[in-house]
Structure formats: C-alpha cells, structure tokens
Amino acid sequence: MEPEDIDRITRILAPRLHMLAALARTEHVTRAAEILGMPQPTLSRAMARLQEETGLTLVERTGRGVRLTRTGRLLLPHVERALTDLARGVGELTDADHGRVTLTFLPTLGVEVVPALLRGFRRTHPDVRFTLIQEAWAPSLRRLAEGGADLALTSPLPTDPRLVCTVLHTQALRLVVPEHHRLARTDREVALSEVAGEEFVLLKPGRGVRHLTDRLTDRAALTPEVAFEADDIATARGLVGAGLGVSVLPARPRGPLPTTAELPLADHDAVRPIGVIHPAAGSGGGYTPPAVTTFLEHVRRHGPRLIPDLTG
C-alpha cells in the first residue's frame, strides 16, 4: 500500500478509535453505544461507513452480537496504544499531579538551585515529569517566547511584554580584581572608570551577566579590553584570581575567592535580578497546564529562600 493510502485510512480511522475499542470490549453494538453515549443506530452506521471508506472489514456479526475480524484484532493493539497515548497527553494538560513541566534554566542554577526546587516539589507531586534544558540567558528567553518551554529560571529579567517575571532574588554586582590589584584594599565604592585601560575577563555574549556588564560599561563610557570570554561565572572568577584581568560578577555568597577581592560599584544599578519567567498568555496558546501552575507557585514560594545561598 502506498504512503498516501495509509495516510487516508488513518485519517478516516482516527475519529472512530473509541468506537472500535468499545465494540472490541463489549462484542455488542447496543452496549458499546451505551458506553459511548450515542444511539445504537448511529454507531452501526458509523462502523458501516468506516468499513466502506477504508475497504477494511473490521467487525462481523455473530448471532446477536459482534466481534472483531482478524483484521480488526490485528489493528486493535494499535488503537489501544493510540487511545492510551492520547489520554496521557490530555492528562499532562489537565492533571496537576501527572503533567509535564518544561523548564529552562541558567547553568549556574543547575548545580544546586534547580535540584533543590525539584527535590522539594517531587515530595508532594512525585508523578509530575520534567523536561529540563540548561542554557544561557538569550537562548533561554528565546525558547520561552517561542513556546518551547513553560518556565525559565534566569537573569536578567526581560522587558518582552509576552513574558511575565517574578523576582526571586537580587544579587549585587561587584568589581572583582586579583588579590594584589591596586584597588584590592579599597573600602569604598569604585567606578568602572577606575579600571579603564585594564584587561577584562568577560562572559561570552548571550550570557546574562555579559548583558549586564555591557550595560554598565556603556553607561561608564568604557570599552573593555577583553582578555578572555568565559562560559560561566566560576571560570571568570577563577581567571581573575589568576591575574588575567578584572571582571564584573555577582557577589559570591560565601565571600570572595582567596585570590580575589570584590569591590562594591558606585553605579547603584549594578545588580543582577534572578527570577522565574513564564509566557503572558501561557505556553499552550492561552492555556497553562495545572502542573506548570503548581510548580510555578512552588518556585515563587521557595526560590527566594534557596537562591541567595546557592548561587554565584
């Protein structure tokens, strides 16, 4: 049979799968019609039309009842799997305890924050499944805006009107310098202009901290000399400690590395808000599945407590 013929038969069968399954279970047209909530003549006509249109004999009469033909019995396991898969999909959309959540998050949040949030949530919702995507700020927001994820844990927060943000924590940004830098012992706020001409260790473009750093250096009319562009905050901090340059990074929760000093910046907008973000209209074309809503509430409740201690 040609692929187009298979497609034609599949399209004819699809809306009648429940009918065939009910007849297989009951082997009786009237009882099957009662299960389906339709008049018996309607079911009989639908099955006759199905067999006529597909050219497949699926049901045959046996006295006062019916049964599947060999063709119908061969098709039945596929029908049942299709109905089971469809029911599972409907469950994911409607059941807060058995749905699926697609979460995109920053690499720095994947070490402890995301595992802690999932661990706490799964104690009360063990059957909710997760699709996890660890990626940088820019692709994370793009995925969310295009409907490829339900929620994002990221920073900085977007201004896109299609996205709704809840701030979970705000970190101060610091000028991070090597321990023997001329400013390392300074006990005052410093301006970025004070390191003009020095080499910077930056994060790669598309990272949230890089976006914030670019904004701050633009405001200071400073064009950094780039010594290295790192993939993550920990690498950038370590390379500053090795003397490769200076950097603008979130304050380290447990204090500066022994090989670095962290200085407060005079620009009071030098902060890094971390938040949970979701589409304004819901990721399902105006509908947000209950499992997503339940997990979002969990993140809003517990994220502010977890994030200050576990990031940076």
Side-chain angles (χ1 to χ4, degrees):
M1 185 175 287
E2 295 298 320
E4 54 268 27
D5 295 322
I6 295 174
D7 181 65
R8 179 183 61 82
I9 292 174
T10 301
R11 283 188 280 109
I12 295 169
L13 272 169
R16 300 180 173 93
L17 296 183
H18 272 297
M19 297 179 186
L20 191 61
L23 287 169
R25 288 198 302 271
T26 64
E27 295 191 339
H28 197 281
V29 177
T30 302
R31 285 200 293 272
E34 290 172 354
I35 290 172
L36 295 168
M38 64 173 58
Q40 180 268 326
T42 301
L43 176 58
S44 295
R45 286 195 299 269
M47 292 308 300
R49 188 163 57 250
L50 170 64
Q51 296 186 115
E52 180 183 347
E53 292 176 354
T54 61
L56 300 174
T57 303
L58 302 171
V59 179
E60 60 185 358
R61 291 198 172 274
T62 57
R64 300 181 65 180
V66 295
R67 68 182 179 189
L68 297 187
T69 64
R70 181 173 182 278
T71 301
R73 291 196 302 274
L74 289 172
L75 185 62
L76 182 62
H78 302 282
V79 170
E80 291 173 336
R81 278 199 297 273
L83 292 172
T84 298
D85 287 345
L86 182 59
R88 185 179 297 118
V90 171
E92 289 185 0
L93 292 175
T94 61
D95 189 342
D97 292 322
H98 293 84
R100 177 179 294 277
V101 179
T102 300
L103 174 69
T104 172
F105 57 92
L106 291 176
T108 51
L109 300 178
V111 179
E112 297 177 88
V113 173
V114 171
L117 287 170
L118 294 182
R119 188 165 53 247
F121 184 76
R122 288 171 65 83
R123 290 193 192 104
T124 53
H125 298 82
D127 295 319
V128 172
R129 293 180 291 172
F130 285 85
T131 298
L132 303 176
I133 306 163
Q134 189 177 41
E135 58 191 345
W137 170 74
S140 179
L141 292 184
R142 185 164 54 249
R143 183 185 303 276
L144 192 65
E146 293 174 353
D150 298 304
L151 303 172
L153 280 168
T154 192
S155 175
L157 306 184
T159 57
D160 190 331
R162 296 174 297 172
L163 302 176
V164 177
C165 310
T166 300
V167 177
L168 303 175
H169 177 60
T170 300
Q171 293 177 303
L173 294 176
R174 297 286 190 249
L175 177 66
V176 184
V177 300
E179 61 179 333
H180 299 303
H181 190 274
R182 57 186 172 80
L183 295 175
R185 300 283 185 264
T186 300
D187 58 1
R188 58 176 174 81
E189 293 181 341
V190 298
L192 281 177
S193 59
E194 295 181 60
V195 289
E198 296 192 31
E199 292 191 315
F200 274 68
V201 178
L202 300 175
L203 268 69
K204 289 180 178 177
R207 272 60 176 175
V209 172
R210 174 62 180 271
H211 176 78
L212 294 171
T213 302
D214 288 347
R215 191 170 67 189
L216 291 172
T217 55
D218 287 346
R219 284 160 60 106
L222 172 66
T223 302
E225 296 288 336
V226 181
F228 184 75
E229 292 181 326
D231 280 309
D232 57 79
I233 292 171
T235 299
R237 201 185 305 276
L239 292 175
V240 171
L244 197 65
V246 302
S247 191
V248 175
L249 298 171
R252 189 166 178 263
R254 299 177 181 88
L257 288 177
T259 54
T260 68
E262 297 187 1
L263 312 173
L265 288 162
D267 189 329
H268 293 164
D269 286 332
V271 293
R272 181 199 187 204
I274 300 172
V276 59
I277 305 162
H278 63 92
S283 62
Y287 175 75
T288 302
V292 174
T293 300
T294 304
F295 183 65
L296 174 60
E297 292 169 354
H298 174 83
V299 172
R300 285 171 170 166
R301 186 165 59 251
H302 297 285
R305 175 178 57 82
L306 292 170
I307 291 176
D309 296 330
L310 302 179
T311 57

